[in-house]
């Protein structure tokens, strides 16, 4: 279980990083925290010709207050966001989600951008950031572009990034004081990838009502019917309604998985609507 | 914990382990830590398919000399394990695949590189053509299928079938209650922290093959390598350094050991192989997979009259040397009746060959399975009788007054009070209060359940038991050497090994008990065939009884020799002196071992003329007076909260009441109990290697293979009683495996108790959310009458 041969480069800045990726012609891969890529290299499931190590790029490590939003650099580790609890008003959900990712040792190295780019369907950030209505900032040889977090993942382990592009950062709208949100995932044991997950955000001040379920075959799926209904009523929908909504949103789930996803969504909604 | 305030350092003292100092500082020495000059690393090309005929293996051009196939290993024989049980079919296990591959992960080629990565590079450049054959993945299907065979020259896929019957017809007649159940345990790996590891070189000076191997049984590996490589035993030295967990995985001769040893003989330089985690999870999924159809016959009150069982064990592809694949069915058939008193028993056990890694004896050997089956059935009988499971269990346990007790499979239970252990567990878990709370219900909607399981554990069994199974190796006498060093300290050596059991400490405590030398001056040497007397090694919860007994015997042999010299030095009669506290005490004064040793080694003019020429060193063997086993026993009790929406089980409390006779070091006993229980909880709730229809293992990394961690193991409360064995030195019983036996049974009984009102009864390990939710949904469907 040792990696196959690869070349290694450590660019000085983002521009050089995207240039190296472009030169790699699809055979280059960016390395950030390495918490997923590392094992995949060792298992020889990932076999890049060139590893572009972006883990020391200072320009990816900033967290800044943008007034109505927070901007989080792609290279910010989960543990930094976890430890920022209480110091990022309007981003309480971000801090809570960060604290629940894997184990502390993984959080110390794993990054928010790396997790988004890796696009594991069971990961926390694609789900949470979709529910928060975040925007992903992408850097490439031709400059920067922005994509809704919800649209970044196109399938399991595939994204809208092209070979030479990197995630530079994430912009997350601040939640208002009136916002209600919930985040629940069910793991066989804490720290493992979940069997089912759900994120819900209701913020009437921002006209936001988003309900997503994750840990599916592909990207997180929005349940807009439930979102609209809960935003209007402020009450928890009935079990049958939740079950039916999950079945519509993820028709390939078998009975057991549907039951589990419904139970998990129900818990996330409960957190949001609880008095 | 029981108060154990025994002062001093002898038997019963809670002294800290000698081995902790190096392990806590990361200064242990494992095979992976060892580097010899000129060492090469080995990687194996392993079979990507479960069953197939090898058509062609092509080595990459220019690298032919760094790659070895079966035909290249001249002089290395296939591992064949005979067994005298009629009908048993031995397998031929070649060190590298020969003609066929029989499980995913079977080694096909051995590749040598300067680094492991380079060796792996070579492995992936080998061209491999295999004609795939249908994979035999399910033991029932494999038993029914004589067309496709794991071993072509067999007539079917059965390693063996055992039949046992004693008093069944009489016992089962006229039973008021007849309860039938189907019980299943999934396949799993043992997952020691350190996997297989072997470093072999040729020592020119000693003219010896020296093999450093992570093994529980160094002397047996020497026997095996000599036999299968055609060397004299004297030409081989096995050194087993620090070992990161054995659990049975390392009590057999491994094909990888054979391969690496062969390389060292051929090239006369060092080669090393370190198993990685994926190799372990894929090629080491070799434990626990049993299936039971079990019927219990009882009277109206649930008092058992007879048990009937058909057991199917998925033996995998090969029979391991020396314990054979027959050990598991033998133990299952013989131990299913457990701690219970009934007189009618019939059992048929099939051990089936399939396209999976060959079955190995894992901590608890078969007893985790039989305890699971028997304890689930006891609870089912109790439900049928409308009584509390603990009551029915209690009424069926062998009473203390019946000890020693010969059970229905003619096992001889030496001592113990089984009912008392159950009653103590019931009291310690706070049974009545939990039943009250269960009736009230939980505010969060979860359901509370209380479960019990009681077992007895044969330990340190010897000649009679193993020769009845017909194994190629029968443990009998175990040896230990004790030497008084010139400064009056002790050096102990024994052929057993220690890989977490704390034997460096507990053997020293036994020597201290006899001779009184302070622990700090007692060194214990284990794990090296050149430095220790022969032993079949560490397995079957035997080492503290066997090596401990041998250490005691050797110390007792030295005591009169020390007394004779001491008396002479004091110029008093030998019958007036006592050996104690590391000295010989006479009527007026005492003389320290140091002075006695100095006289013997350096100042012989001080010795009596008739001094024993055996000197201050003795190698003495030990075997218990009755060697059918010292039976430890325990009752486990657990309270769980079951979330029926998520299929989640939380353990709210867990109590173990155990008795392993005299405890040499209660802290070591507790550590062993706790570690075993953690593994048992893994079997109960997490660990599983599922296979697809083609025999591909679906859990090849820790992303898919779940182990219990610190979050999952509750704060287990351990209580010990001490009922000495009448047959062993100091009444010690072995206890290394026990903790791993009962957890699946106790957890499932607790969950079934919690879900009784829903009509849910689970009986397949591990209890994943999916299994639990499936069972709940099935019960709902039954209630609604939507399904028959």
């Amino acid at each position: 279980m040792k990696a196959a041969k690869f070349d290694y480069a450590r660019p000085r800045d983002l521009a050089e990083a995207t240039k190296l990726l472009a030169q790699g012609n699809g055979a280059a891969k960016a390395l950030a925290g390495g918490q997923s890529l590392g094992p995949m290299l060792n298992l020889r499931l990932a076999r890049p010709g060139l590893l572009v190590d972006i883990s020391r790029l200072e320009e990816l490590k900033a967290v800044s207050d943008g007034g109505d939003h927070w901007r989080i650099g792609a290279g910010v580790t989960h543990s930094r966001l976890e430890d920022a609890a209480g110091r990022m008003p309007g981003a309480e959900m971000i801090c809570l989600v960060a604290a629940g990712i894997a184990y502390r040792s993984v959080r110390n190295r794993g990054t928010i951008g790396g997790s988004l780019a890796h696009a594991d369907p069971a990961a926390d950030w694609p789900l949470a950031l979709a529910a928060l209505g975040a925007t992903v900032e992408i850097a490439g040889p031709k400059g920067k572009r922005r994509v809704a977090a919800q649209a970044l993942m196109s399938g399991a382990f595939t994204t809208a990034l092209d070979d030479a592009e990197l995630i530079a950062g994430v912009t997350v709208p601040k939640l208002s004081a009136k916002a209600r949100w919930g985040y629940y995932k069910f793991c066989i044991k804490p720290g493992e990838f979940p069997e089912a997950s759900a994120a819900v955000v209701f913020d009437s001040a921002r006209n936001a009502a988003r309900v997503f379920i994750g840990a599916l075959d592909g990207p997180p799926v929005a349940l807009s019917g439930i979102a609209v209904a809960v935003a209007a009523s402020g009450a928890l929908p009935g079990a049958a309604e939740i079950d039916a909504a999950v079945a519509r949103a993820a028709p390939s789930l078998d009975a057991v998985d549907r039951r589990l996803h419904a139970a998990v969504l129900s818990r996330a909604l409960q957190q949001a609507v609880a008095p | 914990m029981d108060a154990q305030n025994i002062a001093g350092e002898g038997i019963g003292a809670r002294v800290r382990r000698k081995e902790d100092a190096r392990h806590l500082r990361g200064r242990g020495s494992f095979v992976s830590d060892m580097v010899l000059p000129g060492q090469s690393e080995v990687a194996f090309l392993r079979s990507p398919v479960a069953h197939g005929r090898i058509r062609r293996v092509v080595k990459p051009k220019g690298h032919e000399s760094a790659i070895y196939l079966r035909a290249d290993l001249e002089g290395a024989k296939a591992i064949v394990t005979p067994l005298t049980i009629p009908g048993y079919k031995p397998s031929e296990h070649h060190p590298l695949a020969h003609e066929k591959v029989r499980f995913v992960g079977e080694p096909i080629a051995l590749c040598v590189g300067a680094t492991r990565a380079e060796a792996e590079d070579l492995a992936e450049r080998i061209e491999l053509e295999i004609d795939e054959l249908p994979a035999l993945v399910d033991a029932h299907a494999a038993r029914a299928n004589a067309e496709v065979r794991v071993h072509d020259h067999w007539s079917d896929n059965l390693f063996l079938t055992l039949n046992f019957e004693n008093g069944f017809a009489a016992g089962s007649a006229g039973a008021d209650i007849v309860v039938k159940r189907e019980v299943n345990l999934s396949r799993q790996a043992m997952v020691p922290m350190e996997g297989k590891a072997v470093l072999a070189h040729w020592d020119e000076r000693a003219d010896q093959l020296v093999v450093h191997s992570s093994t529980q049984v160094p002397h047996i590996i020497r026997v095996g390598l000599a036999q299968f490589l055609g060397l004299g035993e004297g030409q081989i030295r096995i050194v087993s350094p620090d070992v990161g967990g054995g659990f049975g995985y390392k009590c057999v001769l491994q094909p990888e050991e054979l391969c690496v040893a062969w390389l060292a003989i051929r090239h006369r330089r060092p080669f090393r192989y370190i198993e990685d985690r994926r190799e372990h999870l894929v090629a080491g999924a070799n434990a626990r997979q049993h299936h039971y159809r079990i019927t219990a016959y009882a009277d109206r009150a649930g008092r058992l009259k007879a048990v009937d069982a058909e057991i199917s064990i998925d033996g995998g592809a090969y029979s391991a040397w020396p314990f054979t694949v027959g050990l598991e069915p033998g133990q299952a058939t013989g131990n299913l009746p457990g701690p219970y008193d009934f007189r009618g028993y019939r059992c048929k056990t099939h051990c089936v060959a399939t396209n999976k890694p060959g079955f190995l004896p894992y901590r608890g050997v078969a007893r985790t399975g039989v305890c699971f089956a028997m304890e689930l059935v006891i609870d089912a009988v109790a439900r049928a009788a409308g009584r509390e499971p603990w009551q029915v269990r209690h009424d069926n346990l062998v009473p203390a007054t019946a000890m020693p007790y010969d059970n229905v499979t003619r096992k001889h239970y030496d001592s113990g009070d089984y009912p008392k252990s159950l009653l103590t567990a019931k009291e310690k878990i706070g049974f009545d209060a939990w039943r009250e709370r269960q009736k009230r219900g939980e505010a969060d909607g979860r359901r509370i359940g209380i479960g019990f399981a009681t077992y007895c554990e044969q330990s340190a069994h010897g000649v009679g038991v193993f020769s009845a199974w017909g194994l190629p190796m029968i443990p009998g006498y175990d040896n230990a050497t004790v030497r008084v060093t010139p400064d009056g300290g002790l050096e102990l050596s024994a052929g057993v090994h220690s890989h977490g059991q704390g034997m460096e400490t507990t053997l020293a405590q036994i020597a201290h008990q006899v001779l009184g030398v302070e622990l700090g001056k007692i060194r214990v040497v284990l794990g090296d065939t050149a430095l220790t007397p022969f032993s079949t090694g560490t397995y079957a919860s035997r080492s503290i009884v066997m090596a401990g007994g041998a250490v005691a015997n050797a110390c007792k042999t030295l005591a009169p020799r020390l007394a004779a010299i001491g008396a002479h030095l004091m110029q008093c009669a030998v019958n007036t002196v006592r050996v104690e506290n590391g000295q010989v005490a006479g009527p007026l004064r005492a003389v320290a071992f140091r002075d006695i040793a100095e006289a013997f080694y350096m100042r012989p003019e001080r010795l009596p003329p008739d001094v024993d020429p055996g000197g201050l060193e003795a190698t003495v063997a030990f075997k218990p007076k009755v060697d059918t086993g010292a039976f430890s026993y325990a009752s486990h009790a657990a309270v769980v909260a079951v979330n029926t929406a998520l299929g989640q089980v939380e353990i709210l409390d867990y109590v173990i009441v155990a008795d392993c006779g005299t405890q040499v070091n209660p802290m070591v006993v507790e550590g062993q109990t706790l570690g075993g229980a953690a593994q048992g909880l893994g079997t109960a709730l997490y660990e599983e290697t599922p296979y697809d229809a083609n025999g591909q293992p679906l859990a090849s990394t820790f992303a898919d293979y779940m182990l219990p961690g610190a979050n999952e193991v509750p704060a287990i409360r351990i209580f010990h009683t001490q009922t000495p064995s009448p047959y062993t030195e100091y009444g010690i019983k072995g206890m290394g495996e026990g903790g791993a036996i009962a957890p699946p049974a106790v957890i499932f009984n607790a969950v079934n108790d919690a879900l009784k009102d829903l009509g849910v009864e689970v009986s397949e390990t591990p209890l994943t959310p999916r299994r639990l939710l499936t069972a709940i949904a099935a019960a709902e469907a039954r209630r609604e009458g939507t399904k028959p």
Side-chain angles (χ1 to χ4, degrees):
Chain A
M1 221 162 62
K2 302 288 180 199
K5 274 184 189 163
F6 55 82
D7 287 329
Y8 173 87
R10 194 191 296 156
R12 282 176 307 256
D13 54 30
L14 202 50
E16 190 188 349
T18 55
K19 200 172 129 197
L20 283 164
L21 286 173
Q23 285 165 0
N25 245 336
K29 190 119 184 105
L31 172 73
Q35 297 306 289
S36 297
L37 183 54
M40 288 173 72
L41 285 171
N42 282 340
L43 291 163
R44 300 192 174 202
L45 294 172
R47 313 189 60 135
L50 172 67
L51 266 192
V52 179
D53 184 349
I54 57 168
S55 64
R56 303 187 199 196
L57 294 183
E58 286 305 319
E59 63 196 292
L60 296 182
K61 294 186 179 175
V63 178
S64 54
D65 188 340
D68 64 346
H69 66 271
W70 284 97
R71 189 192 178 279
I72 301 166
V76 172
T77 61
H78 314 311
S79 63
R80 266 184 70 199
L81 295 169
E82 174 185 15
D83 296 346
R87 289 181 283 115
M88 284 179 73
E92 292 77 10
M93 182 169 153
I94 291 278
C95 299
L96 178 116
V97 168
I101 295 172
Y103 303 90
R104 180 75 190 189
S105 55
V106 172
R107 298 197 288 274
N108 281 340
R109 298 195 67 112
T111 64
I112 190 167
S115 170
L116 285 171
H118 182 57
D120 188 317
D124 293 84
W125 289 128
L127 173 69
L129 294 174
L132 282 163
T135 305
V136 179
E137 202 180 285
I138 296 170
K142 293 172 212 151
K144 291 197 172 170
R145 66 182 177 112
R146 295 164 71 82
V147 169
Q150 186 183 345
L152 182 73
M153 192 196 295
S154 48
F157 305 103
T158 50
T159 65
L161 293 170
D162 77 28
D163 292 340
E165 286 183 323
L166 279 170
I167 296 174
V170 184
T171 307
V172 191
K174 286 184 184 173
L175 293 178
S176 76
K178 290 169 72 183
R180 307 301 300 262
W181 52 270
Y183 190 82
Y184 196 91
K185 59 176 178 172
F186 174 59
C187 309
I188 289 184
K189 56 181 220 184
E192 296 300 324
F193 280 109
E195 309 296 300
S197 55
V200 305
V201 172
F202 299 100
D203 192 352
S204 53
R206 307 255 185 276
N207 204 19
R210 296 188 206 92
V211 171
F212 280 83
I213 59 173
L216 302 166
D217 291 341
V221 174
L223 282 70
S224 39
I226 290 269
V228 169
V230 174
S233 70
L236 190 67
E241 201 182 327
I242 292 177
D243 195 64
V246 168
R248 275 195 304 276
S252 65
L253 294 179
D254 71 9
V256 168
D257 274 331
R258 194 175 72 233
R259 194 183 176 113
L260 208 48
H261 280 270
V264 163
L265 173 57
S266 161
R267 275 160 179 73
L269 287 167
Q270 234 156 19
Q271 290 173 359
V273 304
Chain B
M1 317 270 160
D2 288 349
Q4 282 280 347
N5 295 315
I6 294 168
E9 301 181 323
I11 291 174
R14 288 179 169 271
V15 297
R16 292 188 177 180
R17 285 179 302 201
K18 285 165 164 277
E19 38 276 82
D20 289 353
R22 66 178 188 277
H23 287 311
L24 290 174
R25 292 177 172 85
R27 290 178 187 156
S29 180
F30 298 83
V31 174
S32 307
D33 298 315
M34 296 177 173
V35 179
L36 293 178
Q39 170 178 314
S40 296
E41 300 287 345
V42 168
F44 288 92
L45 171 69
R46 292 175 179 272
S47 177
V49 301
H51 195 193
R53 211 168 295 285
I54 300 172
R55 186 136 50 98
R56 223 158 66 95
V57 185
V58 184
K59 301 176 186 178
K61 276 220 161 19
H63 298 282
E64 290 83 354
S65 64
I67 296 170
Y68 300 83
L69 308 176
R70 174 62 185 109
D72 299 320
L73 303 185
E74 283 169 44
K77 301 188 185 82
I79 300 171
V80 179
T81 312
L83 200 57
T84 56
I85 294 173
Y88 165 76
K89 299 194 234 3
S91 57
E92 246 182 48
H93 192 182
H94 290 264
L96 294 171
H98 176 61
E99 294 174 356
K100 272 177 80 170
V101 288
R102 296 185 173 86
F103 65 92
V104 174
E106 180 170 5
I108 294 172
L110 132 60
C111 308
V112 176
T115 63
R116 171 64 180 249
E118 287 164 278
E120 287 185 24
D121 288 345
L122 281 182
E124 57 175 28
R125 290 178 58 196
I126 296 172
E127 278 178 55
L128 188 58
E129 284 178 41
I130 296 178
D131 290 332
E132 247 185 284
L133 297 164
L136 296 157
V137 185
D138 173 73
H140 300 291
R143 185 152 67 87
N145 187 347
E147 293 302 307
V148 181
R149 296 189 296 276
V150 176
H151 300 283
D152 296 355
H153 63 288
W154 291 10
S155 53
D156 54 22
N157 288 306
L158 268 173
F159 276 111
L160 61 85
T161 296
L162 297 176
N163 282 295
F164 184 92
E165 188 165 344
N166 185 7
F168 176 71
S172 58
D176 301 313
I177 292 174
V178 179
V179 164
K180 278 183 203 288
R181 286 295 182 276
E182 199 172 333
V183 172
N184 205 31
L185 292 96
S186 295
R187 201 174 198 79
Q188 65 170 93
M190 300 188 208
V191 205
M193 278 201 280
E194 180 200 28
K196 295 175 182 180
V198 51
L199 165 63
H201 74 282
W202 191 271
D203 180 336
E204 294 290 350
R205 186 172 65 87
D207 196 29
Q208 262 186 334
L209 169 72
V210 181
V211 181
H212 287 81
S213 186
S214 180
T215 182
Q216 303 168 226
V217 291
H219 290 272
I220 287 300
I221 297 305
R222 177 156 94 155
V223 172
L225 286 183
Q227 181 177 334
F228 298 112
L229 288 173
L231 292 180
E233 298 238 1
Q235 288 176 289
I236 304 174
R237 175 181 178 189
I238 308 295
V239 183
S240 187
D242 278 327
V243 171
F247 313 123
Y249 190 56
K250 300 170 185 174
C251 75
V252 299
L253 179 67
Q254 300 152 354
E256 291 91 343
E257 282 172 320
L258 207 57
C259 288
V260 176
W262 183 90
L263 279 175
I265 297 168
R266 164 57 65 99
H267 296 288
R268 304 260 164 152
R269 58 186 183 81
F271 293 88
R272 188 173 75 160
Y273 165 70
I274 307 292
E275 179 184 69
D276 68 32
R277 191 55 67 187
R278 184 165 52 170
E279 288 180 293
H280 176 74
L281 291 176
V282 169
N286 50 27
R288 292 284 187 259
Q289 194 166 17
H290 293 195
H291 175 269
Y292 296 79
R293 282 183 220 285
I294 180 166
T295 308
Y297 299 83
D299 71 12
R300 206 176 314 279
R303 185 74 176 83
L304 286 178
K305 317 282 275 183
V307 169
D308 187 16
E310 184 170 13
I311 308 175
S312 174
I313 294 170
D314 186 328
Y318 297 108
S319 181
W321 190 93
F323 289 100
T324 85
V325 79
L327 182 70
E328 193 78 8
Q331 288 271 45
T333 310
N335 286 300
L336 180 63
Y340 297 108
D341 170 41
F342 59 89
R343 288 294 160 197
Y345 182 50
R346 184 170 69 181
C347 184
K348 182 190 272 287
T349 305
H350 310 285
C351 185
V352 185
T354 61
N355 292 117
K356 295 179 190 167
F359 212 100
L360 294 186
Y362 176 34
R363 193 177 198 173
V365 186
R367 287 160 296 187
T368 303
V370 296
C371 174
F372 185 61
M374 195 67 198
E375 293 299 304
L376 261 55
V377 162
I378 293 278
D379 271 37
V381 167
R383 280 192 288 276
R387 299 181 70 206
E388 278 285 359
W390 73 264
Q391 276 175 334
V392 168
R393 182 167 280 105
H394 176 270
D395 293 354
N396 280 299
L397 288 169
V398 174
T401 49
M403 291 290 179
Y405 173 87
D406 293 313
N407 88 337
V408 70
T409 57
R410 302 180 189 103
K411 291 205 180 290
H412 181 72
Y413 297 169
D414 55 334
S415 64
D417 190 339
Y418 302 168
K420 189 178 153 208
S421 87
L422 176 65
L423 293 177
T424 309
K426 172 177 170 273
E427 180 212 319
K428 298 290 186 191
I429 198 84
F431 177 79
D432 296 332
W434 282 114
R435 270 278 181 264
E436 281 305 307
R437 181 167 156 185
Q438 185 184 38
K439 277 188 203 126
R440 286 198 303 272
E442 297 296 294
D444 62 8
R446 293 193 299 175
R447 287 170 176 267
I448 298 279
I450 310 151
F452 292 95
T454 301
Y455 66 88
C456 60
E457 175 196 8
Q458 191 173 21
S459 76
H461 28 303
V463 181
V465 177
F466 281 94
S467 59
W469 294 332
L471 295 183
M473 172 222 77
I474 314 292
Y477 285 94
D478 242 68
N479 298 280
T481 300
V482 177
R483 171 194 295 160
V484 182
T485 56
D487 64 356
L490 295 181
E491 281 178 353
L492 315 181
S493 62
V496 297
H497 200 19
S498 185
H499 18 87
Q501 297 93 332
M503 303 286 299
E504 291 172 35
T505 308
T506 48
L507 291 179
Q509 285 182 264
I510 290 174
H512 173 87
Q513 184 74 26
V514 183
L515 297 175
V517 175
E518 61 185 283
L519 282 197
K521 291 178 73 177
I522 304 177
R523 297 181 55 82
V524 177
V525 178
L526 304 166
D528 187 334
T529 57
L531 304 177
T532 64
F534 186 88
S535 164
T536 58
T538 290
Y539 54 89
S541 302
R542 66 189 300 278
S543 294
I544 196 62
V545 174
M546 303 304 298
V551 163
N553 270 358
C555 289
K556 286 175 186 171
T557 301
L558 289 188
R561 299 184 197 170
L562 288 157
I565 300 171
H568 181 75
L569 291 175
M570 290 183 282
Q571 290 298 299
C572 62
V574 74
N575 61 7
T576 65
V577 304
R578 296 181 314 278
V579 175
E580 59 187 22
N581 300 325
Q583 57 184 15
V584 174
L588 300 173
R589 63 189 180 95
V591 53
F593 284 3
R594 170 195 283 274
D595 299 320
I596 294 168
E598 187 191 23
F600 187 82
Y601 293 117
M602 321 276 210
R603 304 297 300 268
E605 76 277 13
R606 293 178 184 167
L607 295 174
D610 60 346
V611 66
D612 188 328
L616 301 183
E617 177 168 343
T619 299
V620 182
F622 171 79
K623 189 161 84 72
K625 282 177 280 205
V626 175
D627 74 349
T628 48
F631 283 78
S632 293
Y633 60 96
S635 292
H636 291 208
V639 179
V640 300
V642 182
N643 181 325
T644 54
L646 296 172
Q648 196 177 28
V649 177
E650 187 193 347
I651 302 168
L652 301 180
D653 197 10
Y654 199 110
V655 160
I656 298 176
V657 179
D659 191 318
C660 60
T662 304
Q663 298 180 65
V664 178
N665 183 334
M667 278 204 293
V668 168
V669 169
E670 284 154 14
Q672 285 273 79
T673 304
L674 199 55
Q679 284 180 307
L681 290 173
T683 301
L685 293 168
Y686 303 103
E687 297 183 56
E688 178 180 13
T689 308
Y691 285 81
D692 73 8
N694 298 317
Q696 289 291 334
L698 302 178
S700 65
T701 72
F702 281 151
D704 296 310
Y705 190 95
M706 296 284 152
L707 279 175
N711 285 322
E712 288 70 48
V713 179
I716 295 173
R717 299 186 289 135
I718 301 172
F719 304 89
H720 265 99
T721 54
Q722 302 196 55
T723 310
S725 172
Y727 305 133
T728 66
E729 200 67 32
Y730 300 110
I732 298 166
K733 299 177 176 182
M735 51 73 55
E737 300 170 86
I741 292 175
V746 76
I747 295 295
F748 277 65
N749 277 342
V751 170
N752 288 339
D753 181 59
L755 304 183
K756 197 170 96 168
D757 297 344
L758 301 179
V760 173
E761 200 180 307
V762 284
S763 59
E764 182 175 57
T765 67
L767 190 53
T768 56
R770 171 162 284 273
R771 283 201 176 88
L772 189 45
L773 290 175
T774 303
I776 291 169
E780 279 169 7
R782 275 196 304 276
R783 278 202 309 278
E784 288 159 14
T786 52
K787 278 180 191 167

